[in-house]
Amino acid sequence: MTNFKITKGKNDFKDIEFVRKTIFIDEQKFIDEFDEIDSTAYHVAGYENNKPIVCARFFCDGNNEYHIGRIAVLKEFRGKGLGSEIVKFCENEIKKLGGKSVSLSAQVRASDFYKKMNYNTTGEVYMDEHVEHIKMTKEL
């Protein structure tokens, strides 16, 4: 079990920034990784030996629908269940906040991962920068 730490906004953001920059900018070549949502979202970082190895964020859109995003696991730690562990952690935190449903913008190549966690695809495939994505939802 990973040690998770949750923060709100950009307080104590350096560990989140490290994981996201490593995965989304350096590895996957996204350009617009950081946005205005970062300043109000909840951010979750997972650690092993005090090193950040996984992260995610979640936020409410104002209509009591929550969104989980920016889920990233450092390459050397993939395949160990950390992705599902952090998604479940976020879902539990959302439930505590009164959330009843959650959505995410999944990279199409990762959609089977989310389907195994009972997420359903909604709508059509769309491009986010250079990568195909699809909206997925789940009732909590």
Side-chain angles (χ1 to χ4, degrees):
M1 176 108 169
T2 308
N3 177 30
F4 290 116
K5 178 180 172 186
I6 187 168
T7 58
K8 187 154 173 55
K10 291 181 107 175
N11 298 324
D12 202 14
F13 194 69
K14 68 181 182 342
D15 291 345
I16 301 293
E17 192 172 37
F18 166 74
V19 175
R20 285 174 46 186
K21 181 184 178 302
T22 301
I23 303 307
F24 295 120
I25 295 175
D26 299 343
E27 183 180 316
Q28 296 184 4
K29 307 301 183 207
F30 279 85
I31 295 168
D32 297 321
E33 171 52 23
F34 301 99
D35 60 25
E36 67 281 350
I37 294 170
D38 286 327
S39 60
T40 57
Y42 290 91
H43 298 276
V44 180
Y47 297 84
E48 184 172 282
N49 298 323
N50 295 317
K51 177 186 176 185
I53 59 170
V54 59
C55 72
R57 76 176 183 187
F58 64 90
F59 60 94
C60 183
D61 68 3
N63 295 315
N64 209 32
E65 182 173 320
Y66 282 81
H67 302 271
I68 299 174
R70 303 305 204 264
I71 302 158
V73 180
L74 292 181
K75 198 173 202 171
E76 62 268 30
F77 294 95
R78 292 180 192 152
K80 299 179 181 199
L82 295 172
S84 58
E85 207 176 311
I86 199 165
V87 170
K88 289 175 189 171
F89 181 88
C90 290
E91 290 172 354
N92 287 331
E93 292 298 314
I94 289 167
K95 285 182 197 175
K96 291 178 191 175
L97 294 169
K100 306 285 185 221
S101 67
V102 65
S103 67
L104 49 84
S105 177
Q107 291 185 11
V108 170
R109 64 190 171 135
S111 61
D112 285 342
F113 164 79
Y114 296 108
K115 285 177 184 174
K116 290 176 187 168
M117 296 187 71
N118 299 313
Y119 282 81
N120 299 301
T121 57
T122 306
E124 301 296 318
V125 171
Y126 56 93
M127 296 301 287
D128 183 351
E129 291 195 39
H130 59 280
V131 178
E132 291 183 320
H133 284 71
I134 190 157
K135 181 177 180 180
M136 301 186 80
T137 59
K138 178 180 180 178
E139 297 299 314
L140 296 178

mmCIF file of all heavy atoms in Angstrom, residues 65-103:
data_model
loop_
_atom_site.group_PDB
_atom_site.id
_atom_site.type_symbol
_atom_site.label_atom_id
_atom_site.label_comp_id
_atom_site.label_asym_id
_atom_site.label_seq_id
_atom_site.Cartn_x
_atom_site.Cartn_y
_atom_site.Cartn_z
ATOM 1 N N GLU A 65 -20.594 17.156 -9.935
ATOM 2 C CA GLU A 65 -19.910 16.092 -10.660
ATOM 3 C C GLU A 65 -18.426 16.319 -10.478
ATOM 4 O O GLU A 65 -17.908 17.412 -10.704
ATOM 5 C CB GLU A 65 -20.239 16.070 -12.147
ATOM 6 C CG GLU A 65 -19.524 14.912 -12.834
ATOM 7 C CD GLU A 65 -19.907 14.700 -14.286
ATOM 8 O OE1 GLU A 65 -21.090 14.818 -14.614
ATOM 9 O OE2 GLU A 65 -18.997 14.423 -15.074
ATOM 10 N N TYR A 66 -17.756 15.280 -10.056
ATOM 11 C CA TYR A 66 -16.324 15.355 -9.828
ATOM 12 C C TYR A 66 -15.567 14.774 -11.013
ATOM 13 O O TYR A 66 -16.075 13.899 -11.710
ATOM 14 C CB TYR A 66 -15.945 14.601 -8.548
ATOM 15 C CG TYR A 66 -16.270 15.393 -7.312
ATOM 16 C CD1 TYR A 66 -17.561 15.428 -6.799
ATOM 17 C CD2 TYR A 66 -15.294 16.135 -6.659
ATOM 18 C CE1 TYR A 66 -17.864 16.174 -5.671
ATOM 19 C CE2 TYR A 66 -15.587 16.881 -5.531
ATOM 20 C CZ TYR A 66 -16.870 16.899 -5.042
ATOM 21 O OH TYR A 66 -17.158 17.646 -3.928
ATOM 22 N N HIS A 67 -14.388 15.283 -11.206
ATOM 23 C CA HIS A 67 -13.511 14.831 -12.287
ATOM 24 C C HIS A 67 -12.176 14.414 -11.681
ATOM 25 O O HIS A 67 -11.615 15.139 -10.861
ATOM 26 C CB HIS A 67 -13.272 15.960 -13.293
ATOM 27 C CG HIS A 67 -14.531 16.488 -13.900
ATOM 28 N ND1 HIS A 67 -15.078 15.958 -15.046
ATOM 29 C CD2 HIS A 67 -15.366 17.478 -13.509
ATOM 30 C CE1 HIS A 67 -16.188 16.622 -15.330
ATOM 31 N NE2 HIS A 67 -16.379 17.544 -14.419
ATOM 32 N N ILE A 68 -11.682 13.255 -12.090
ATOM 33 C CA ILE A 68 -10.348 12.805 -11.714
ATOM 34 C C ILE A 68 -9.480 12.942 -12.960
ATOM 35 O O ILE A 68 -9.913 12.610 -14.063
ATOM 36 C CB ILE A 68 -10.340 11.339 -11.243
ATOM 37 C CG1 ILE A 68 -11.226 11.157 -10.011
ATOM 38 C CG2 ILE A 68 -8.912 10.875 -10.942
ATOM 39 C CD1 ILE A 68 -11.386 9.711 -9.572
ATOM 40 N N GLY A 69 -8.262 13.409 -12.777
ATOM 41 C CA GLY A 69 -7.392 13.557 -13.926
ATOM 42 C C GLY A 69 -5.930 13.594 -13.546
ATOM 43 O O GLY A 69 -5.581 13.489 -12.375
ATOM 44 N N ARG A 70 -5.112 13.746 -14.561
ATOM 45 C CA ARG A 70 -3.661 13.847 -14.403
ATOM 46 C C ARG A 70 -3.112 12.668 -13.591
ATOM 47 O O ARG A 70 -2.227 12.807 -12.766
ATOM 48 C CB ARG A 70 -3.256 15.161 -13.765
ATOM 49 C CG ARG A 70 -3.708 16.425 -14.494
ATOM 50 C CD ARG A 70 -3.257 16.432 -15.957
ATOM 51 N NE ARG A 70 -3.165 17.768 -16.521
ATOM 52 C CZ ARG A 70 -4.112 18.363 -17.229
ATOM 53 N NH1 ARG A 70 -5.256 17.741 -17.467
ATOM 54 N NH2 ARG A 70 -3.922 19.579 -17.709
ATOM 55 N N ILE A 71 -3.664 11.492 -13.862
ATOM 56 C CA ILE A 71 -3.220 10.267 -13.192
ATOM 57 C C ILE A 71 -1.930 9.822 -13.866
ATOM 58 O O ILE A 71 -1.898 9.600 -15.073
ATOM 59 C CB ILE A 71 -4.303 9.173 -13.299
ATOM 60 C CG1 ILE A 71 -5.607 9.672 -12.679
ATOM 61 C CG2 ILE A 71 -3.825 7.874 -12.664
ATOM 62 C CD1 ILE A 71 -6.839 8.941 -13.167
ATOM 63 N N ALA A 72 -0.877 9.715 -13.070
ATOM 64 C CA ALA A 72 0.430 9.386 -13.641
ATOM 65 C C ALA A 72 1.239 8.538 -12.678
ATOM 66 O O ALA A 72 1.258 8.800 -11.478
ATOM 67 C CB ALA A 72 1.196 10.676 -13.959
ATOM 68 N N VAL A 73 1.888 7.526 -13.223
ATOM 69 C CA VAL A 73 2.763 6.641 -12.451
ATOM 70 C C VAL A 73 4.128 6.644 -13.130
ATOM 71 O O VAL A 73 4.220 6.430 -14.340
ATOM 72 C CB VAL A 73 2.213 5.191 -12.419
ATOM 73 C CG1 VAL A 73 3.138 4.280 -11.615
ATOM 74 C CG2 VAL A 73 0.789 5.150 -11.866
ATOM 75 N N LEU A 74 5.174 6.895 -12.345
ATOM 76 C CA LEU A 74 6.522 6.856 -12.929
ATOM 77 C C LEU A 74 6.771 5.502 -13.577
ATOM 78 O O LEU A 74 6.350 4.460 -13.054
ATOM 79 C CB LEU A 74 7.587 7.138 -11.864
ATOM 80 C CG LEU A 74 7.608 8.554 -11.287
ATOM 81 C CD1 LEU A 74 8.737 8.672 -10.254
ATOM 82 C CD2 LEU A 74 7.777 9.619 -12.359
ATOM 83 N N LYS A 75 7.461 5.508 -14.698
ATOM 84 C CA LYS A 75 7.649 4.320 -15.537
ATOM 85 C C LYS A 75 8.112 3.096 -14.759
ATOM 86 O O LYS A 75 7.584 2.005 -14.922
ATOM 87 C CB LYS A 75 8.642 4.656 -16.647
ATOM 88 C CG LYS A 75 8.614 3.721 -17.805
ATOM 89 C CD LYS A 75 9.503 4.236 -18.936
ATOM 90 C CE LYS A 75 9.067 3.623 -20.230
ATOM 91 N NZ LYS A 75 9.744 4.229 -21.368
ATOM 92 N N GLU A 76 9.101 3.274 -13.901
ATOM 93 C CA GLU A 76 9.660 2.120 -13.185
ATOM 94 C C GLU A 76 8.724 1.525 -12.138
ATOM 95 O O GLU A 76 8.993 0.463 -11.584
ATOM 96 C CB GLU A 76 11.016 2.473 -12.566
ATOM 97 C CG GLU A 76 10.977 3.582 -11.538
ATOM 98 C CD GLU A 76 11.229 4.974 -12.103
ATOM 99 O OE1 GLU A 76 10.893 5.249 -13.275
ATOM 100 O OE2 GLU A 76 11.758 5.815 -11.357
ATOM 101 N N PHE A 77 7.580 2.197 -11.882
ATOM 102 C CA PHE A 77 6.632 1.705 -10.881
ATOM 103 C C PHE A 77 5.322 1.227 -11.508
ATOM 104 O O PHE A 77 4.390 0.865 -10.793
ATOM 105 C CB PHE A 77 6.360 2.790 -9.833
ATOM 106 C CG PHE A 77 7.574 3.117 -9.021
ATOM 107 C CD1 PHE A 77 8.396 4.187 -9.372
ATOM 108 C CD2 PHE A 77 7.918 2.350 -7.917
ATOM 109 C CE1 PHE A 77 9.541 4.482 -8.635
ATOM 110 C CE2 PHE A 77 9.052 2.637 -7.176
ATOM 111 C CZ PHE A 77 9.869 3.701 -7.539
ATOM 112 N N ARG A 78 5.242 1.207 -12.821
ATOM 113 C CA ARG A 78 4.014 0.759 -13.491
ATOM 114 C C ARG A 78 3.851 -0.748 -13.381
ATOM 115 O O ARG A 78 4.813 -1.480 -13.197
ATOM 116 C CB ARG A 78 4.042 1.186 -14.959
ATOM 117 C CG ARG A 78 3.945 2.683 -15.092
ATOM 118 C CD ARG A 78 3.960 3.146 -16.528
ATOM 119 N NE ARG A 78 4.153 4.597 -16.534
ATOM 120 C CZ ARG A 78 4.719 5.270 -17.494
ATOM 121 N NH1 ARG A 78 5.132 4.650 -18.585
ATOM 122 N NH2 ARG A 78 4.858 6.565 -17.407
ATOM 123 N N GLY A 79 2.606 -1.194 -13.487
ATOM 124 C CA GLY A 79 2.314 -2.621 -13.433
ATOM 125 C C GLY A 79 2.243 -3.168 -12.025
ATOM 126 O O GLY A 79 2.197 -4.383 -11.823
ATOM 127 N N LYS A 80 2.218 -2.284 -11.029
ATOM 128 C CA LYS A 80 2.185 -2.719 -9.630
ATOM 129 C C LYS A 80 0.871 -2.352 -8.925
ATOM 130 O O LYS A 80 0.781 -2.420 -7.718
ATOM 131 C CB LYS A 80 3.355 -2.088 -8.866
ATOM 132 C CG LYS A 80 4.700 -2.487 -9.427
ATOM 133 C CD LYS A 80 5.845 -1.853 -8.680
ATOM 134 C CE LYS A 80 7.163 -2.293 -9.317
ATOM 135 N NZ LYS A 80 8.295 -2.129 -8.471
ATOM 136 N N GLY A 81 -0.122 -1.919 -9.723
ATOM 137 C CA GLY A 81 -1.428 -1.586 -9.155
ATOM 138 C C GLY A 81 -1.551 -0.184 -8.590
ATOM 139 O O GLY A 81 -2.559 0.150 -7.982
ATOM 140 N N LEU A 82 -0.533 0.651 -8.799
ATOM 141 C CA LEU A 82 -0.566 1.998 -8.226
ATOM 142 C C LEU A 82 -1.610 2.883 -8.878
ATOM 143 O O LEU A 82 -2.204 3.739 -8.214
ATOM 144 C CB LEU A 82 0.814 2.649 -8.335
ATOM 145 C CG LEU A 82 1.919 1.988 -7.514
ATOM 146 C CD1 LEU A 82 3.269 2.587 -7.861
ATOM 147 C CD2 LEU A 82 1.631 2.130 -6.038
ATOM 148 N N GLY A 83 -1.840 2.704 -10.169
ATOM 149 C CA GLY A 83 -2.857 3.497 -10.854
ATOM 150 C C GLY A 83 -4.235 3.260 -10.265
ATOM 151 O O GLY A 83 -4.956 4.202 -9.931
ATOM 152 N N SER A 84 -4.610 1.987 -10.108
ATOM 153 C CA SER A 84 -5.926 1.692 -9.528
ATOM 154 C C SER A 84 -5.984 2.102 -8.058
ATOM 155 O O SER A 84 -7.013 2.563 -7.578
ATOM 156 C CB SER A 84 -6.294 0.221 -9.701
ATOM 157 O OG SER A 84 -5.331 -0.610 -9.118
ATOM 158 N N GLU A 85 -4.875 1.993 -7.366
ATOM 159 C CA GLU A 85 -4.826 2.385 -5.956
ATOM 160 C C GLU A 85 -5.103 3.885 -5.787
ATOM 161 O O GLU A 85 -5.900 4.281 -4.933
ATOM 162 C CB GLU A 85 -3.441 2.045 -5.386
ATOM 163 C CG GLU A 85 -3.421 1.782 -3.909
ATOM 164 C CD GLU A 85 -2.026 1.357 -3.432
ATOM 165 O OE1 GLU A 85 -1.403 0.465 -4.033
ATOM 166 O OE2 GLU A 85 -1.588 1.951 -2.436
ATOM 167 N N ILE A 86 -4.489 4.715 -6.634
ATOM 168 C CA ILE A 86 -4.690 6.158 -6.493
ATOM 169 C C ILE A 86 -6.083 6.568 -6.969
ATOM 170 O O ILE A 86 -6.704 7.463 -6.393
ATOM 171 C CB ILE A 86 -3.569 6.982 -7.171
ATOM 172 C CG1 ILE A 86 -3.568 8.412 -6.596
ATOM 173 C CG2 ILE A 86 -3.686 6.963 -8.676
ATOM 174 C CD1 ILE A 86 -2.313 9.198 -6.907
ATOM 175 N N VAL A 87 -6.614 5.907 -7.996
ATOM 176 C CA VAL A 87 -7.981 6.208 -8.447
ATOM 177 C C VAL A 87 -8.966 5.869 -7.334
ATOM 178 O O VAL A 87 -9.868 6.662 -7.023
ATOM 179 C CB VAL A 87 -8.322 5.461 -9.754
ATOM 180 C CG1 VAL A 87 -9.812 5.581 -10.071
ATOM 181 C CG2 VAL A 87 -7.486 5.999 -10.914
ATOM 182 N N LYS A 88 -8.822 4.714 -6.697
ATOM 183 C CA LYS A 88 -9.708 4.334 -5.578
ATOM 184 C C LYS A 88 -9.590 5.319 -4.425
ATOM 185 O O LYS A 88 -10.584 5.679 -3.797
ATOM 186 C CB LYS A 88 -9.394 2.913 -5.100
ATOM 187 C CG LYS A 88 -9.827 1.843 -6.069
ATOM 188 C CD LYS A 88 -9.368 0.465 -5.604
ATOM 189 C CE LYS A 88 -9.618 -0.566 -6.675
ATOM 190 N NZ LYS A 88 -9.000 -1.857 -6.370
ATOM 191 N N PHE A 89 -8.368 5.773 -4.138
ATOM 192 C CA PHE A 89 -8.164 6.768 -3.082
ATOM 193 C C PHE A 89 -8.938 8.041 -3.419
ATOM 194 O O PHE A 89 -9.659 8.587 -2.576
ATOM 195 C CB PHE A 89 -6.671 7.068 -2.911
ATOM 196 C CG PHE A 89 -6.378 8.056 -1.827
ATOM 197 C CD1 PHE A 89 -6.188 7.633 -0.520
ATOM 198 C CD2 PHE A 89 -6.311 9.415 -2.102
ATOM 199 C CE1 PHE A 89 -5.927 8.546 0.496
ATOM 200 C CE2 PHE A 89 -6.051 10.333 -1.097
ATOM 201 C CZ PHE A 89 -5.858 9.908 0.196
ATOM 202 N N CYS A 90 -8.819 8.513 -4.658
ATOM 203 C CA CYS A 90 -9.543 9.712 -5.083
ATOM 204 C C CYS A 90 -11.057 9.501 -4.994
ATOM 205 O O CYS A 90 -11.781 10.385 -4.510
ATOM 206 C CB CYS A 90 -9.156 10.102 -6.510
ATOM 207 S SG CYS A 90 -7.478 10.731 -6.695
ATOM 208 N N GLU A 91 -11.541 8.354 -5.443
ATOM 209 C CA GLU A 91 -12.977 8.064 -5.368
ATOM 210 C C GLU A 91 -13.472 8.118 -3.928
ATOM 211 O O GLU A 91 -14.539 8.672 -3.649
ATOM 212 C CB GLU A 91 -13.277 6.687 -5.970
ATOM 213 C CG GLU A 91 -13.118 6.616 -7.461
ATOM 214 C CD GLU A 91 -13.232 5.214 -8.026
ATOM 215 O OE1 GLU A 91 -13.323 4.238 -7.239
ATOM 216 O OE2 GLU A 91 -13.220 5.095 -9.259
ATOM 217 N N ASN A 92 -12.710 7.550 -2.999
ATOM 218 C CA ASN A 92 -13.110 7.580 -1.587
ATOM 219 C C ASN A 92 -13.131 9.000 -1.044
ATOM 220 O O ASN A 92 -14.026 9.353 -0.261
ATOM 221 C CB ASN A 92 -12.194 6.691 -0.742
ATOM 222 C CG ASN A 92 -12.467 5.223 -0.972
ATOM 223 O OD1 ASN A 92 -13.588 4.835 -1.292
ATOM 224 N ND2 ASN A 92 -11.451 4.395 -0.836
ATOM 225 N N GLU A 93 -12.160 9.827 -1.430
ATOM 226 C CA GLU A 93 -12.142 11.226 -0.995
ATOM 227 C C GLU A 93 -13.339 11.982 -1.571
ATOM 228 O O GLU A 93 -13.949 12.808 -0.895
ATOM 229 C CB GLU A 93 -10.825 11.902 -1.402
ATOM 230 C CG GLU A 93 -9.609 11.370 -0.664
ATOM 231 C CD GLU A 93 -9.681 11.583 0.848
ATOM 232 O OE1 GLU A 93 -10.034 12.700 1.283
ATOM 233 O OE2 GLU A 93 -9.384 10.624 1.591
ATOM 234 N N ILE A 94 -13.681 11.697 -2.818
ATOM 235 C CA ILE A 94 -14.835 12.334 -3.462
ATOM 236 C C ILE A 94 -16.124 11.948 -2.734
ATOM 237 O O ILE A 94 -16.993 12.784 -2.507
ATOM 238 C CB ILE A 94 -14.881 11.968 -4.963
ATOM 239 C CG1 ILE A 94 -13.732 12.678 -5.688
ATOM 240 C CG2 ILE A 94 -16.225 12.310 -5.572
ATOM 241 C CD1 ILE A 94 -13.470 12.183 -7.100
ATOM 242 N N LYS A 95 -16.249 10.678 -2.357
ATOM 243 C CA LYS A 95 -17.425 10.233 -1.584
ATOM 244 C C LYS A 95 -17.529 11.011 -0.279
ATOM 245 O O LYS A 95 -18.624 11.418 0.121
ATOM 246 C CB LYS A 95 -17.345 8.736 -1.283
ATOM 247 C CG LYS A 95 -17.650 7.844 -2.453
ATOM 248 C CD LYS A 95 -17.575 6.391 -1.997
ATOM 249 C CE LYS A 95 -17.465 5.442 -3.143
ATOM 250 N NZ LYS A 95 -17.264 4.058 -2.699
ATOM 251 N N LYS A 96 -16.406 11.217 0.398
ATOM 252 C CA LYS A 96 -16.404 11.978 1.655
ATOM 253 C C LYS A 96 -16.892 13.404 1.448
ATOM 254 O O LYS A 96 -17.462 14.011 2.358
ATOM 255 C CB LYS A 96 -14.993 12.017 2.265
ATOM 256 C CG LYS A 96 -14.497 10.707 2.796
ATOM 257 C CD LYS A 96 -13.068 10.882 3.320
ATOM 258 C CE LYS A 96 -12.400 9.575 3.640
ATOM 259 N NZ LYS A 96 -10.989 9.763 4.028
ATOM 260 N N LEU A 97 -16.653 13.953 0.253
ATOM 261 C CA LEU A 97 -17.081 15.313 -0.072
ATOM 262 C C LEU A 97 -18.531 15.357 -0.576
ATOM 263 O O LEU A 97 -19.036 16.418 -0.917
ATOM 264 C CB LEU A 97 -16.152 15.920 -1.130
ATOM 265 C CG LEU A 97 -14.709 16.164 -0.678
ATOM 266 C CD1 LEU A 97 -13.824 16.497 -1.878
ATOM 267 C CD2 LEU A 97 -14.653 17.282 0.355
ATOM 268 N N GLY A 98 -19.174 14.194 -0.632
ATOM 269 C CA GLY A 98 -20.569 14.130 -1.066
ATOM 270 C C GLY A 98 -20.757 13.855 -2.541
ATOM 271 O O GLY A 98 -21.888 13.904 -3.036
ATOM 272 N N GLY A 99 -19.694 13.551 -3.248
ATOM 273 C CA GLY A 99 -19.795 13.261 -4.676
ATOM 274 C C GLY A 99 -20.494 11.938 -4.932
ATOM 275 O O GLY A 99 -20.276 10.960 -4.218
ATOM 276 N N LYS A 100 -21.342 11.925 -5.949
ATOM 277 C CA LYS A 100 -22.102 10.718 -6.297
ATOM 278 C C LYS A 100 -21.617 10.083 -7.595
ATOM 279 O O LYS A 100 -21.875 8.923 -7.860
ATOM 280 C CB LYS A 100 -23.587 11.052 -6.447
ATOM 281 C CG LYS A 100 -24.190 11.747 -5.250
ATOM 282 C CD LYS A 100 -24.417 10.793 -4.122
ATOM 283 C CE LYS A 100 -25.140 11.491 -2.985
ATOM 284 N NZ LYS A 100 -24.644 11.129 -1.691
ATOM 285 N N SER A 101 -20.951 10.883 -8.426
ATOM 286 C CA SER A 101 -20.436 10.355 -9.685
ATOM 287 C C SER A 101 -19.104 11.030 -9.995
ATOM 288 O O SER A 101 -18.787 12.092 -9.451
ATOM 289 C CB SER A 101 -21.428 10.594 -10.825
ATOM 290 O OG SER A 101 -21.550 11.973 -11.087
ATOM 291 N N VAL A 102 -18.365 10.378 -10.868
ATOM 292 C CA VAL A 102 -17.050 10.898 -11.241
ATOM 293 C C VAL A 102 -16.849 10.654 -12.732
ATOM 294 O O VAL A 102 -17.372 9.685 -13.289
ATOM 295 C CB VAL A 102 -15.938 10.246 -10.385
ATOM 296 C CG1 VAL A 102 -15.822 8.766 -10.654
ATOM 297 C CG2 VAL A 102 -14.617 10.938 -10.565
ATOM 298 N N SER A 103 -16.128 11.567 -13.353
ATOM 299 C CA SER A 103 -15.782 11.383 -14.757
ATOM 300 C C SER A 103 -14.286 11.608 -14.917
ATOM 301 O O SER A 103 -13.627 12.157 -14.035
ATOM 302 C CB SER A 103 -16.561 12.346 -15.654
ATOM 303 O OG SER A 103 -16.159 13.677 -15.430
#
